Amino acid sequence: MGDSGDLARAYSDDSVLFRVLRHLGWDSLANIGYFTPPTLPLAALTGPVPFQRRLVRRSLALLDARPGQLVLDAGCGRGDTTARLGASGCRALGVDIQPAQIDHARRRFGDSARFAVADATALPQRAAGVPLTDGSFDRVHCLEAAFHFGHEGRRSFVNESFRLLRPGGRLVLVDVTSRTDQPIGTLDPNGLVRGTWRFDDIEPYERYPLMASAAGFTTRRILDWTTPVLHRAAQLCALFVGTASTRAGRQALCVRWPGLRTLDAQDWDEVITVVRAHRAIGRVTRYTAYVLDKPADGVAARPAGRLPNGRPAV
Protein backbone atom coordinates (compact mmCIF):
# COMPACT_ATOMS: atom_id res chain seq x y z
CA MET A 1 0.00 0.00 0.00
CA GLY A 2 1.14 3.57 -0.60
CA ASP A 3 2.60 5.93 1.98
CA SER A 4 0.00 6.84 4.61
CA GLY A 5 1.05 10.49 4.70
CA ASP A 6 0.72 10.83 0.95
CA LEU A 7 -2.64 9.07 0.97
CA ALA A 8 -3.86 11.31 3.80
CA ARG A 9 -3.52 14.33 1.51
CA ALA A 10 -6.18 12.83 -0.75
CA TYR A 11 -8.68 12.88 2.12
CA SER A 12 -7.94 16.32 3.51
CA ASP A 13 -8.25 19.94 2.47
CA ASP A 14 -4.90 19.59 0.71
CA SER A 15 -7.06 18.27 -2.15
CA VAL A 16 -9.34 20.89 -3.67
CA LEU A 17 -11.73 18.15 -4.82
CA PHE A 18 -11.97 16.70 -1.31
CA ARG A 19 -12.56 20.23 0.03
CA VAL A 20 -15.48 20.65 -2.37
CA LEU A 21 -16.89 17.23 -1.50
CA ARG A 22 -16.62 18.01 2.21
CA HIS A 23 -18.62 21.18 1.71
CA LEU A 24 -21.18 19.15 -0.23
CA GLY A 25 -21.58 16.78 2.70
CA TRP A 26 -18.75 14.22 2.79
CA ASP A 27 -17.82 13.48 6.39
CA SER A 28 -17.69 10.00 7.91
CA LEU A 29 -18.42 8.46 4.52
CA ALA A 30 -16.07 8.85 1.56
CA ASN A 31 -17.50 6.80 -1.29
CA ILE A 32 -19.03 7.72 -4.64
CA GLY A 33 -22.59 6.71 -3.83
CA TYR A 34 -25.30 4.56 -5.44
CA PHE A 35 -27.82 6.55 -7.52
CA THR A 36 -31.17 5.44 -8.95
CA PRO A 37 -33.01 7.29 -11.75
CA PRO A 38 -36.04 8.42 -9.68
CA THR A 39 -33.83 9.93 -6.95
CA LEU A 40 -31.00 11.27 -9.11
CA PRO A 41 -32.48 14.80 -9.36
CA LEU A 42 -32.55 14.96 -5.56
CA ALA A 43 -28.77 14.69 -5.44
CA ALA A 44 -28.51 18.22 -6.78
CA LEU A 45 -30.40 19.38 -3.70
CA THR A 46 -29.36 16.97 -0.96
CA GLY A 47 -25.72 16.35 -1.82
CA PRO A 48 -24.11 12.89 -1.89
CA VAL A 49 -24.72 11.59 1.64
CA PRO A 50 -28.04 9.73 1.14
CA PHE A 51 -26.56 7.97 -1.89
CA GLN A 52 -23.34 7.14 -0.08
CA ARG A 53 -25.42 5.52 2.66
CA ARG A 54 -27.32 3.53 0.03
CA LEU A 55 -24.05 2.18 -1.35
CA VAL A 56 -22.98 1.13 2.16
CA ARG A 57 -26.31 -0.64 2.74
CA ARG A 58 -25.98 -2.57 -0.51
CA SER A 59 -22.40 -3.57 0.24
CA LEU A 60 -23.21 -4.71 3.78
CA ALA A 61 -26.24 -6.65 2.50
CA LEU A 62 -23.86 -8.72 0.38
CA LEU A 63 -21.70 -9.33 3.44
CA ASP A 64 -24.67 -10.91 5.28
CA ALA A 65 -22.97 -10.52 8.66
CA ARG A 66 -24.90 -11.80 11.68
CA PRO A 67 -24.96 -10.52 15.27
CA GLY A 68 -22.06 -11.89 17.24
CA GLN A 69 -19.87 -12.51 14.21
CA LEU A 70 -16.34 -11.08 14.09
CA VAL A 71 -15.97 -8.76 11.10
CA LEU A 72 -12.95 -6.92 9.71
CA ASP A 73 -13.68 -3.68 7.83
CA ALA A 74 -10.53 -3.13 5.76
CA GLY A 75 -9.71 0.40 4.66
CA CYS A 76 -12.43 1.64 7.00
CA GLY A 77 -11.65 5.33 6.57
CA ARG A 78 -13.53 7.45 9.10
CA GLY A 79 -15.38 4.48 10.51
CA ASP A 80 -19.03 4.93 9.55
CA THR A 81 -19.36 1.51 7.90
CA THR A 82 -17.56 -0.24 10.76
CA ALA A 83 -19.87 1.47 13.23
CA ARG A 84 -22.90 0.26 11.28
CA LEU A 85 -21.61 -3.29 11.61
CA GLY A 86 -21.13 -2.78 15.33
CA ALA A 87 -24.59 -1.31 15.75
CA SER A 88 -26.06 -4.39 14.06
CA GLY A 89 -24.58 -6.61 16.76
CA CYS A 90 -21.33 -7.67 15.04
CA ARG A 91 -17.97 -7.54 16.76
CA ALA A 92 -16.50 -5.10 14.29
CA LEU A 93 -12.87 -4.09 13.83
CA GLY A 94 -11.99 -1.31 11.40
CA VAL A 95 -8.44 -0.88 10.14
CA ASP A 96 -6.97 1.88 8.02
CA ILE A 97 -3.43 2.93 7.19
CA GLN A 98 -4.18 6.60 7.90
CA PRO A 99 -3.82 7.59 11.58
CA ALA A 100 -5.96 10.72 11.14
CA GLN A 101 -8.84 8.64 9.80
CA ILE A 102 -8.61 6.20 12.70
CA ASP A 103 -8.49 9.07 15.21
CA HIS A 104 -11.68 10.43 13.66
CA ALA A 105 -13.32 6.99 13.75
CA ARG A 106 -12.45 6.45 17.40
CA ARG A 107 -13.82 9.86 18.40
CA ARG A 108 -17.07 9.36 16.51
CA PHE A 109 -17.70 5.64 16.79
CA GLY A 110 -15.45 4.23 19.50
CA ASP A 111 -18.48 3.03 21.48
CA SER A 112 -19.75 0.91 18.57
CA ALA A 113 -16.61 -0.74 17.22
CA ARG A 114 -12.86 -1.08 17.58
CA PHE A 115 -10.41 0.73 15.32
CA ALA A 116 -6.69 0.37 14.64
CA VAL A 117 -4.05 1.83 12.37
CA ALA A 118 -2.95 -1.12 10.23
CA ASP A 119 -2.08 -2.01 6.65
CA ALA A 120 -4.80 -4.31 5.29
CA THR A 121 -2.32 -5.83 2.85
CA ALA A 122 0.08 -6.90 5.64
CA LEU A 123 -1.90 -7.28 8.83
CA PRO A 124 -0.22 -7.34 12.25
CA GLN A 125 -0.70 -10.18 14.75
CA ARG A 126 -3.08 -8.05 16.81
CA ALA A 127 -5.04 -4.85 16.22
CA ALA A 128 -6.94 -2.94 18.91
CA GLY A 129 -6.48 -5.95 21.15
CA VAL A 130 -8.06 -8.34 18.63
CA PRO A 131 -5.89 -11.32 17.51
CA LEU A 132 -5.65 -11.54 13.71
CA THR A 133 -5.01 -15.25 13.66
CA ASP A 134 -5.77 -17.80 10.95
CA GLY A 135 -9.47 -18.62 10.68
CA SER A 136 -10.50 -16.16 13.37
CA PHE A 137 -12.94 -13.92 11.46
CA ASP A 138 -16.38 -14.59 10.03
CA ARG A 139 -16.45 -11.76 7.49
CA VAL A 140 -14.09 -9.33 5.79
CA HIS A 141 -15.42 -6.19 4.12
CA CYS A 142 -13.61 -3.74 1.84
CA LEU A 143 -15.63 -0.94 0.26
CA GLU A 144 -13.97 1.33 -2.28
CA ALA A 145 -10.50 1.16 -0.76
CA ALA A 146 -8.53 -1.55 -2.57
CA PHE A 147 -7.75 0.65 -5.58
CA HIS A 148 -5.26 2.37 -3.26
CA PHE A 149 -3.40 -0.89 -2.57
CA GLY A 150 -1.63 -1.40 -5.91
CA HIS A 151 -1.71 -4.69 -7.82
CA GLU A 152 0.56 -6.64 -5.47
CA GLY A 153 -1.17 -5.10 -2.46
CA ARG A 154 -4.56 -6.23 -3.73
CA ARG A 155 -3.26 -9.75 -4.26
CA SER A 156 -1.80 -9.71 -0.76
CA PHE A 157 -5.07 -8.41 0.69
CA VAL A 158 -7.08 -11.21 -0.92
CA ASN A 159 -4.62 -13.77 0.43
CA GLU A 160 -4.68 -12.18 3.90
CA SER A 161 -8.47 -12.24 3.88
CA PHE A 162 -8.53 -15.94 3.01
CA ARG A 163 -6.06 -16.67 5.83
CA LEU A 164 -8.06 -14.64 8.31
CA LEU A 165 -11.48 -16.11 7.50
CA ARG A 166 -12.84 -19.27 9.04
CA PRO A 167 -14.11 -22.00 6.65
CA GLY A 168 -17.47 -20.80 5.39
CA GLY A 169 -16.48 -17.14 5.87
CA ARG A 170 -16.98 -14.39 3.32
CA LEU A 171 -15.08 -11.49 1.77
CA VAL A 172 -17.04 -8.70 0.10
CA LEU A 173 -14.78 -6.54 -2.02
CA VAL A 174 -16.25 -3.51 -3.81
CA ASP A 175 -13.85 -1.56 -5.98
CA VAL A 176 -13.31 0.68 -8.96
CA THR A 177 -12.01 -1.57 -11.73
CA SER A 178 -10.97 -1.21 -15.35
CA ARG A 179 -12.68 -2.69 -18.38
CA THR A 180 -9.36 -3.88 -19.84
CA ASP A 181 -5.76 -4.27 -18.79
CA GLN A 182 -4.91 -0.99 -20.55
CA PRO A 183 -2.33 0.91 -18.44
CA ILE A 184 -3.89 3.60 -16.30
CA GLY A 185 -1.40 6.14 -17.60
CA THR A 186 -3.03 6.05 -21.03
CA LEU A 187 -6.42 6.78 -19.45
CA ASP A 188 -5.17 9.53 -17.14
CA PRO A 189 -2.25 10.99 -19.14
CA ASN A 190 -1.82 14.08 -16.96
CA GLY A 191 -2.13 12.11 -13.72
CA LEU A 192 -4.95 14.31 -12.44
CA VAL A 193 -7.13 11.45 -11.18
CA ARG A 194 -4.24 9.39 -9.82
CA GLY A 195 -2.73 12.45 -8.19
CA THR A 196 -6.01 13.48 -6.60
CA TRP A 197 -6.66 10.12 -4.93
CA ARG A 198 -3.03 8.97 -4.62
CA PHE A 199 -3.16 5.63 -6.44
CA ASP A 200 -1.06 4.07 -9.18
CA ASP A 201 -3.43 1.76 -11.05
CA ILE A 202 -6.76 -0.02 -10.93
CA GLU A 203 -7.40 -3.73 -11.32
CA PRO A 204 -9.02 -5.15 -14.49
CA TYR A 205 -12.41 -6.37 -13.34
CA GLU A 206 -11.80 -9.92 -14.60
CA ARG A 207 -8.56 -10.29 -12.66
CA TYR A 208 -10.09 -10.18 -9.18
CA PRO A 209 -11.84 -13.58 -9.55
CA LEU A 210 -8.55 -15.05 -10.71
CA MET A 211 -6.79 -13.68 -7.62
CA ALA A 212 -9.60 -14.99 -5.44
CA SER A 213 -9.52 -18.45 -6.96
CA ALA A 214 -5.74 -18.63 -6.61
CA ALA A 215 -6.12 -17.77 -2.91
CA GLY A 216 -8.76 -20.52 -2.48
CA PHE A 217 -12.02 -18.55 -2.61
CA THR A 218 -15.17 -19.51 -4.46
CA THR A 219 -16.65 -16.56 -6.35
CA ARG A 220 -20.26 -16.47 -5.21
CA ARG A 221 -21.45 -13.37 -7.08
CA ILE A 222 -20.13 -10.55 -9.23
CA LEU A 223 -22.30 -7.45 -9.48
CA ASP A 224 -21.73 -4.69 -12.00
CA TRP A 225 -22.65 -1.39 -10.34
CA THR A 226 -21.05 0.77 -13.03
CA THR A 227 -24.26 2.49 -14.09
CA PRO A 228 -25.75 3.33 -10.67
CA VAL A 229 -22.39 4.42 -9.29
CA LEU A 230 -20.03 5.72 -11.97
CA HIS A 231 -22.34 6.66 -14.83
CA ARG A 232 -24.88 8.50 -12.70
CA ALA A 233 -22.18 10.17 -10.67
CA ALA A 234 -20.75 11.34 -14.00
CA GLN A 235 -24.12 12.93 -14.82
CA LEU A 236 -23.98 14.87 -11.58
CA CYS A 237 -20.39 15.85 -12.28
CA ALA A 238 -21.45 17.23 -15.66
CA LEU A 239 -24.18 19.26 -13.97
CA PHE A 240 -21.72 20.56 -11.37
CA VAL A 241 -19.10 21.51 -13.96
CA GLY A 242 -21.70 23.25 -16.13
CA THR A 243 -22.97 25.25 -13.18
CA ALA A 244 -19.52 26.04 -11.79
CA SER A 245 -18.28 27.27 -15.16
CA THR A 246 -20.17 30.57 -14.84
CA ARG A 247 -20.04 33.29 -12.21
CA ALA A 248 -23.80 33.11 -11.64
CA GLY A 249 -23.61 29.33 -11.34
CA ARG A 250 -20.89 29.52 -8.69
CA GLN A 251 -22.93 32.04 -6.75
CA ALA A 252 -25.93 29.69 -6.85
CA LEU A 253 -23.81 26.78 -5.61
CA CYS A 254 -22.51 28.94 -2.77
CA VAL A 255 -26.05 29.85 -1.74
CA ARG A 256 -26.92 26.16 -1.46
CA TRP A 257 -23.57 25.12 0.10
CA PRO A 258 -22.10 28.18 1.86
CA GLY A 259 -18.79 26.44 2.55
CA LEU A 260 -17.98 26.72 -1.14
CA ARG A 261 -17.49 30.46 -0.63
CA THR A 262 -14.00 29.62 0.65
CA LEU A 263 -12.94 28.67 -2.91
CA ASP A 264 -11.17 31.32 -4.94
CA ALA A 265 -11.13 31.57 -8.74
CA GLN A 266 -8.06 29.34 -9.03
CA ASP A 267 -9.70 26.69 -6.85
CA TRP A 268 -12.82 26.69 -9.02
CA ASP A 269 -10.77 26.34 -12.19
CA GLU A 270 -8.74 23.51 -10.66
CA VAL A 271 -11.73 21.53 -9.45
CA ILE A 272 -13.44 21.85 -12.86
CA THR A 273 -10.31 20.49 -14.55
CA VAL A 274 -10.03 17.60 -12.09
CA VAL A 275 -13.72 16.68 -12.37
CA ARG A 276 -13.45 16.65 -16.16
CA ALA A 277 -10.49 14.29 -15.88
CA HIS A 278 -12.60 11.99 -13.69
CA ARG A 279 -15.38 12.01 -16.26
CA ALA A 280 -12.93 11.04 -19.00
CA ILE A 281 -11.50 8.10 -17.08
CA GLY A 282 -14.99 7.07 -16.00
CA ARG A 283 -15.82 6.07 -19.57
CA VAL A 284 -13.35 3.18 -19.43
CA THR A 285 -13.73 2.08 -15.81
CA ARG A 286 -16.21 -0.12 -14.02
CA TYR A 287 -17.50 -0.39 -10.49
CA THR A 288 -17.72 -3.99 -9.32
CA ALA A 289 -18.85 -5.83 -6.20
CA TYR A 290 -17.38 -9.29 -5.57
CA VAL A 291 -18.81 -11.79 -3.10
CA LEU A 292 -16.08 -14.31 -2.32
CA ASP A 293 -16.66 -17.29 -0.02
CA LYS A 294 -14.07 -19.38 1.72
CA PRO A 295 -15.21 -22.98 1.17
CA ALA A 296 -16.25 -25.01 4.17
CA ASP A 297 -13.97 -27.93 5.01
CA GLY A 298 -13.87 -30.48 2.24
CA VAL A 299 -15.41 -28.22 -0.41
CA ALA A 300 -13.13 -27.41 -3.32
CA ALA A 301 -12.77 -23.88 -4.64
CA ARG A 302 -13.18 -23.08 -8.34
CA PRO A 303 -9.98 -23.86 -10.25
CA ALA A 304 -7.70 -20.88 -10.75
CA GLY A 305 -7.61 -19.25 -14.13
CA ARG A 306 -11.33 -19.20 -15.04
CA LEU A 307 -14.15 -16.83 -14.26
CA PRO A 308 -17.50 -17.98 -12.84
CA ASN A 309 -18.99 -17.93 -16.35
CA GLY A 310 -16.29 -20.31 -17.57
CA ARG A 311 -14.34 -17.76 -19.60
CA PRO A 312 -10.60 -17.50 -19.01
CA ALA A 313 -9.64 -14.71 -16.61
CA VAL A 314 -7.47 -11.88 -17.87
Side-chain angles (χ1 to χ4, degrees):
M1 187 186 292
D3 175 73
S4 62
D6 187 54
L7 185 58
R9 287 190 284 275
Y11 295 91
S12 72
D13 283 356
D14 287 349
S15 163
V16 67
L17 181 57
F18 184 85
R19 203 183 326 156
V20 168
L21 291 169
R22 180 172 60 80
H23 291 314
L24 295 179
W26 269 29
D27 183 20
S28 297
L29 288 170
N31 64 57
I32 299 170
Y34 189 104
F35 305 88
T36 56
T39 59
L40 190 62
L42 296 177
L45 301 174
T46 64
V49 175
F51 308 95
Q52 292 177 299
R53 290 174 178 162
R54 179 179 293 153
L55 179 60
V56 169
R57 289 195 299 269
R58 286 181 171 270
S59 185
L60 292 182
L62 296 176
L63 193 67
D64 192 28
R66 308 297 173 83
Q69 289 186 329
L70 186 58
V71 182
L72 178 70
D73 192 18
C76 69
R78 298 186 174 197
D80 181 278
T81 304
T82 317
R84 289 170 185 266
L85 286 163
S88 71
C90 297
R91 294 174 293 143
L93 169 65
V95 299
D96 198 282
I97 199 172
Q98 302 177 69
Q101 301 283 60
I102 292 298
D103 287 344
H104 181 100
R106 285 171 175 160
R107 289 195 305 270
R108 290 284 300 273
F109 306 116
D111 293 338
S112 302
R114 296 188 182 191
F115 298 94
V117 177
D119 184 345
T121 69
L123 292 166
Q125 293 182 346
R126 298 178 71 87
V130 179
L132 301 177
T133 54
D134 295 2
S136 58
F137 278 71
D138 298 283
R139 298 286 189 271
V140 176
H141 180 251
C142 186
L143 172 59
E144 205 175 302
F147 71 96
H148 287 301
F149 297 172
H151 173 68
E152 290 304 321
R154 288 185 285 270
R155 185 186 302 278
S156 178
F157 170 67
V158 170
N159 289 333
E160 279 282 79
S161 297
F162 188 85
R163 175 190 68 79
L164 204 61
L165 285 167
R166 64 167 177 77
R170 171 170 292 181
L171 165 63
V172 168
L173 173 58
V174 181
D175 202 16
V176 181
T177 58
S178 64
R179 295 181 181 276
T180 69
D181 58 0
Q182 184 178 0
I184 189 68
T186 64
L187 309 176
D188 181 35
N190 297 317
L192 291 175
V193 178
R194 288 169 291 161
T196 297
W197 298 114
R198 303 303 202 273
F199 70 96
D200 295 325
D201 59 10
I202 52 179
E203 206 67 41
Y205 82 100
E206 290 187 329
R207 192 176 289 159
Y208 266 128
L210 178 58
M211 284 185 187
S213 182
F217 281 107
T218 295
T219 300
R220 178 66 58 188
R221 298 179 69 187
I222 301 176
L223 296 94
D224 185 351
W225 289 347
T226 306
T227 293
V229 178
L230 295 185
H231 290 170
R232 290 178 186 142
Q235 292 178 256
L236 293 172
C237 286
L239 177 62
F240 180 87
V241 165
T243 305
S245 296
T246 67
R247 183 180 181 86
R250 292 176 188 181
Q251 291 174 342
L253 289 170
C254 289
V255 169
R256 173 60 186 87
W257 290 286
L260 295 176
R261 294 192 179 110
T262 61
L263 274 64
D264 59 25
Q266 182 177 344
D267 290 333
W268 281 109
D269 290 343
E270 182 179 349
V271 78
I272 288 171
T273 299
V274 170
V275 169
R276 283 175 173 161
H278 278 72
R279 290 187 62 205
I281 198 172
R283 299 187 186 105
V284 289
T285 52
R286 300 180 66 153
Y287 196 92
T288 316
Y290 302 91
V291 181
L292 309 170
D293 289 346
K294 181 171 182 175
D297 290 336
V299 179
R302 179 176 287 107
R306 303 196 73 82
L307 294 169
N309 58 13
R311 292 191 292 121
V314 174

